[in-house]
Structures are given as structure tokens and as C-alpha cells.
Amino acid sequence: MSMEDLYQEIVLEHSKRPRNRRAIPQASHRAKGHNPLCGDEIEVYLKVEDERIVDLSFQGQGCAISTASASLMSESLTGLSLVEARQRFAEMMTLLKDAGVPVDASKWGDLAAVIGVRRYPGRIKCASLAWHALQGALDGRPESTTE
Ligand code: FES
């Protein structure tokens, strides 16, 4: 199986069975992300205790890539400190925007499949939608966009 096929399989699996697609009623942070290109919205919920993310979830309908990215983000950021989560956001944006920056698969795990969409510039906003919502939630902005 080629790397490309493997990445596609990971994205499809997470889009069909998204992890943590639910609200968090006692969320300490929440925000909506909006992709104006297609109109899709994802809302991200965080439960933060002692500056650490103890639960992270999302809701909303989007394409396979935005759903898979939200699902994988929820898995990979739960347990991180707020500082670490902000750092991951910044690194993710750099990796998505600059196809020349190498991806450390041991650090990014299955999220490398989402980062792989940077080969298709039209889908980068899909991959970053949930992440913009996350940043909005961390910054206390209820709405943010991929623009
Ligand atoms: Fe709307 Fe991908 S097509 S987020």
C-alpha cells in the first residue's frame, strides 16, 4: 500500500467514524469555525483544568477532510497543556501552508494523513477548519474563519 493510499484510508476511517463528535455541556471554552468557501462550520468544545485540556470534542458537518482533521485533532490534543496546544496549532498551520517543511511522522502520528492534503491547495482550508475553531476557543473568540 502506498503512503497516499494509507493516508486516504486514515482520513476516510475518521470521517466515517469520527472520534469525540459530541458536545461538552460543561465546556470551559467553545468556539465555531467557519469556512466561507463552502459554508461548512465546526464547533469545538474544550474542558480545561489547571491549564491542561482534559476533554476536547467537536460538532458540525463538513467534508471528509474537515471531519477527519477535527477527529484526529481531538485525539491528539487531549491531555496537552494550553501552551502545548497553541504550539501544535502554530506548527500545524506551518505544515499545511508550506509543503516544503518535512512532517515528523513520529510526532504527528495519523495527523500526518491530514497534513498530506497540503498537496491539494484547495483542501487546505478543510484541513485547518477545526484548528481555527480551536484557536478561537483558546483566545475566547466565539467565531473564527479559515480566512
Ligand atoms: Fe467545506 Fe471541506 S468542503 S470544509
Side-chain angles (χ1 to χ4, degrees), residues 26 46-47 78 104 109 129 146:
Q26 352 47 348
L46 296 169
K47 192 168 173 200
T78 301
D104 178 353
L129 176 57
T146 51

Side-chain angles (χ1 to χ4, degrees), residues 45-144:
Y45 300 77
L46 296 169
K47 192 168 173 200
V48 175
E49 287 174 3
D50 297 329
E51 299 290 300
R52 193 164 289 278
I53 299 171
V54 295
D55 199 8
L56 200 173
S57 71
F58 74 101
Q59 279 195 317
Q61 297 293 338
C63 62
I65 293 169
S66 63
T67 303
S69 183
S71 171
L72 284 157
M73 180 184 85
S74 73
E75 283 191 328
S76 72
L77 299 191
T78 301
L80 296 190
S81 71
L82 294 180
V83 172
E84 289 166 335
R86 282 185 187 280
Q87 208 173 338
R88 281 291 163 101
F89 167 81
E91 290 166 353
M92 183 74 178
M93 292 307 111
T94 302
L95 287 167
L96 283 173
K97 283 177 192 152
D98 188 347
V101 180
V103 181
D104 178 353
S106 65
K107 172 174 176 175
W108 291 91
D110 284 354
L111 263 173
V114 170
I115 297 166
V117 311
R118 64 189 185 175
R119 281 167 307 174
Y120 312 102
R123 308 312 300 275
I124 291 172
K125 289 188 195 306
C126 304
S128 67
L129 176 57
W131 294 78
H132 283 287
L134 168 86
Q135 195 199 29
L138 293 174
D139 290 346
R141 275 181 292 113
E143 311 265 344
S144 49

